[in-house]
């Protein structure tokens, strides 16, 4: 018993109190973010749209998220993580209150685009804040703590969302707006007097000052991360529709997402801490990608409720074993004055996936069936795994070692 307690407690040691506060803000914000898992169901059931129409509208949400990730990174480098996060949290509120009043497809597409653009500026700024209050040694755990809060929010949010949507879909949007207001208020009150600059000791090498859009090795790496994100984001686009197709109710769908949240709340930090001590970064990422592939392969052949639970368990573990470590790889490479641009580009992979995954998923599901969709996704995961492994081991690691040797021979004047 003492070993178990130590195993869990060690995972949380050594993290700054600011990291904890950022996670609390994320928890509150995401607890209200019950909109995304139910958007597809809302559009098909409440507005009676087809799968392809739903996919097209959801793609506008993803398109706005791409722009939001880019703007969030640029604005963070110019104004700091604090202002961008506060802006995002408060300005997204009017759109959430407006969405339930709109029934026209074209206006919905526009409001989804604007809403996601504003809300997604939050994530690059949040990632930069995590970097500021963590070291290279505990970076993955700091990102994991933040994701733990996010996942716990997805336990609270969708579970409550399933209940609220059975009463009225409008309640989902209103509660999301209230949560954003509370999170924004805490962010402003706690961090307003903090130093929002990235400290000089995090500016490690001169290569970190280049634009991420001119960092060829990193762009290749990111392109394969996009494929991974495209596969993962089926969780929020076509997977709820698949659950609905198999006969699950809205409350049952909410309970499945709630199960994911509570599972990750229990195992995420200890699992990340154990993986960081047991495997290399890239080995952990590969293990997580294999877990994701397994989850979708189960759905390709079975739709029994118990196997659906097993499938989503594998998909959830992929979140734990991939995203914190990819975030850490990006932040360590990016440390310097343009860290916001790097984190914005990394965050943009999920925004691109939000745009493409509804289009790809709904098209394949409607024309060829869900089984072929999950087989296609599994194949894409293998491609992503191969590409990420190759670019990290053959490109990023080689450049890092080469740069480190050059830095050893630099004088302070040359470094400046």
């Amino acid at each position: 018993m003492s070993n178990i307690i130590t195993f869990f407690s060690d995972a949380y040691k050594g993290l700054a109190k600011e990291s904890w506060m950022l996670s609390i803000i994320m928890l509150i914000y995401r607890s209200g973010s019950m909109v995304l898992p139910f958007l597809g169901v809302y559009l098909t059931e409440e507005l009676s749209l087809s799968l392809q129409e739903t996919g097209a509208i959801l793609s506008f949400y993803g398109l706005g998220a791409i722009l939001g990730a880019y703007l969030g990174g640029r604005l963070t480098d110019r104004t700091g993580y604090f202002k961008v996060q506060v802006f995002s949290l408060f300005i997204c509120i009017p759109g959430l209150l407006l969405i339930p009043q709109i029934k026209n497809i074209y206006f919905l597409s526009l409001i989804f685009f604007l809403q996601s653009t504003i809300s997604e500026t939050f994530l690059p700024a949040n990632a930069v804040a995590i970097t500021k209050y963590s070291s290279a040694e505990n970076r993955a755990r700091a990102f994991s703590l933040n994701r733990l809060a996010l996942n716990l929010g997805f336990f609270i949010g969708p579970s409550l969302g399933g209940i609220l949507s059975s009463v009225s879909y409008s309640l989902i949007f209103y509660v999301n707006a209230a949560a954003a207001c509370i999170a924004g208020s805490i962010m402003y009150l706690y961090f307003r007097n903090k130093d929002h600059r990235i400290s000089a000791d995090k500016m490690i090498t001169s290569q970190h000052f280049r634009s991420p859009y001119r960092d060829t090795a990193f762009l290749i790496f990111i392109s394969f991360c996009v494929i991974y994100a495209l596969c993962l984001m089926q969780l929020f686009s076509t997977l709820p529709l698949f659950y609905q197709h198999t006969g699950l109710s809205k409350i049952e769908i909410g309970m499945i997402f709630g199960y994911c949240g509570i599972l990750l709340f229990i195992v995420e930090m200890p699992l990340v801490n154990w993986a960081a001590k047991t495997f290399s970064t890239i080995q952990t990422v590969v293990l997580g990608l294999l877990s994701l592939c397994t989850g979708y392969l189960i759905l390709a052949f079975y739709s029994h409720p118990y196997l659906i639970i097993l499938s989503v368990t594998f998909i959830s573990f992929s979140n734990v074993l991939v995203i914190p470590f990819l975030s850490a790889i990006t932040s360590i490479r990016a440390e310097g004055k343009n860290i916001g641009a790097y984190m914005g580009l990394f965050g943009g992979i999920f925004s691109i996936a939000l745009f493409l995954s509804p289009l790809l998923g709904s098209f394949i599901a409607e024309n060829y069936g869900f089984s072929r969709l999950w087989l296609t996704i599994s194949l894409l995961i293998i491609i992503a795994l191969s590409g990420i492994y190759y670019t990290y081991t053959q490109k990023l690691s080689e450049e890092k070692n080469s740069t480190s040797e050059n830095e050893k021979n630099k004088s302070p004047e040359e470094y400046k």
Side-chain angles (χ1 to χ4, degrees), residues 306-325:
Y306 290 117
L307 291 175
I308 286 177
I309 295 296
L310 179 62
S311 165
V312 82
T313 300
F314 278 109
I315 294 173
S316 298
F317 281 146
S318 174
N319 270 308
V320 174
L321 296 173
V322 177
I323 297 178
F325 290 90

Side-chain angles (χ1 to χ4, degrees), residues 44-359:
T44 55
E45 185 172 297
E46 185 75 3
L47 302 184
S48 302
L49 301 180
S50 69
L51 281 177
Q52 284 193 278
E53 288 175 327
T54 297
I57 292 177
L58 289 178
S59 69
F60 276 91
Y61 190 98
L63 191 62
I66 296 172
L67 179 60
Y70 172 77
L71 291 177
R74 294 294 299 271
L75 290 172
T76 299
D77 284 334
R78 294 188 178 188
T79 65
Y81 68 85
F82 171 73
K83 292 180 180 179
V84 175
Q85 287 182 93
V86 171
F87 168 85
S88 176
L89 290 169
F90 282 118
I91 302 301
C92 74
I93 294 173
L96 290 168
L97 299 177
L98 186 61
I99 288 174
Q101 316 307 321
I102 300 175
K103 307 301 180 184
N104 181 276
I105 293 177
Y106 301 105
F107 284 125
L108 273 175
S109 299
L110 177 62
I111 194 67
F112 280 178
F113 173 79
L114 295 175
Q115 183 66 22
S116 61
T117 299
I118 294 169
S119 62
E120 290 300 315
T121 60
F122 175 84
L123 296 179
N126 183 258
V128 172
I130 295 169
T131 298
K132 175 178 173 59
Y133 297 111
S134 63
S135 64
E137 290 72 24
N138 65 12
R139 188 68 48 78
R141 286 197 297 128
F143 277 108
S144 183
L145 178 65
N146 198 260
R147 286 198 54 78
L148 175 63
L150 185 151
N151 290 323
L152 181 58
F154 272 118
F155 160 65
I156 299 171
S159 298
L160 180 59
I163 298 172
L164 293 176
S165 65
S166 64
V167 179
S168 171
Y169 278 107
S170 298
L171 291 175
I172 295 178
F173 298 98
Y174 298 151
V175 172
N176 199 160
C181 183
I182 295 171
S185 299
I186 295 174
M187 182 76 196
Y188 176 78
L189 293 173
Y190 186 83
F191 286 96
R192 61 178 175 173
N193 295 322
K194 298 284 184 181
D195 181 4
H196 306 137
R197 298 169 298 176
I198 298 296
S199 58
D201 65 339
K202 290 186 178 287
M203 298 180 183
I204 298 177
T205 70
S206 59
Q207 69 95 12
H208 292 134
F209 293 97
R210 73 175 117 175
S211 166
Y213 300 96
R214 296 181 180 179
D215 188 344
T216 304
F218 185 71
L219 288 175
I220 296 172
F221 175 76
I222 281 294
S223 66
F224 288 105
C225 291
V226 169
I227 299 175
Y228 158 72
L230 175 65
C231 299
L232 179 65
M233 285 298 144
Q234 299 299 319
L235 180 66
F236 301 112
S237 56
T238 51
L239 200 55
L241 297 174
F242 171 74
Y243 292 154
Q244 186 183 39
H245 178 75
T246 60
L248 297 180
S249 68
K250 294 189 293 292
I251 293 178
E252 288 171 329
I253 294 172
M255 290 176 65
I256 289 175
F257 281 98
Y259 160 76
C260 295
I262 197 169
L263 174 68
L264 295 180
F265 173 71
I266 295 172
V267 306
E268 176 154 2
M269 286 294 289
L271 187 58
V272 167
N273 190 44
W274 171 79
K277 293 178 178 178
T278 307
F279 305 106
S280 68
T281 297
I282 192 61
Q283 287 173 338
T284 303
V285 170
V286 168
L287 185 61
L289 287 167
L290 290 175
S291 177
L292 184 65
C293 185
T294 302
Y296 285 121
L297 281 175
I298 291 173
L299 296 180
F301 301 102
Y302 305 100
S303 59
H304 189 280
Y306 290 117
L307 291 175
I308 286 177
I309 295 296
L310 179 62
S311 165
V312 82
T313 300
F314 278 109
I315 294 173
S316 298
F317 281 146
S318 174
N319 270 308
V320 174
L321 296 173
V322 177
I323 297 178
F325 290 90
L326 291 181
S327 300
I329 290 170
T330 302
S331 66
I332 290 172
R333 186 173 183 82
E335 284 173 332
K337 66 181 180 182
N338 62 350
I339 187 172
Y342 268 88
M343 299 311 298
L345 180 57
F346 176 74
I349 69 173
F350 300 100
S351 303
I352 293 171
L354 279 173
F355 169 61
L356 293 177
S357 65
L359 294 175

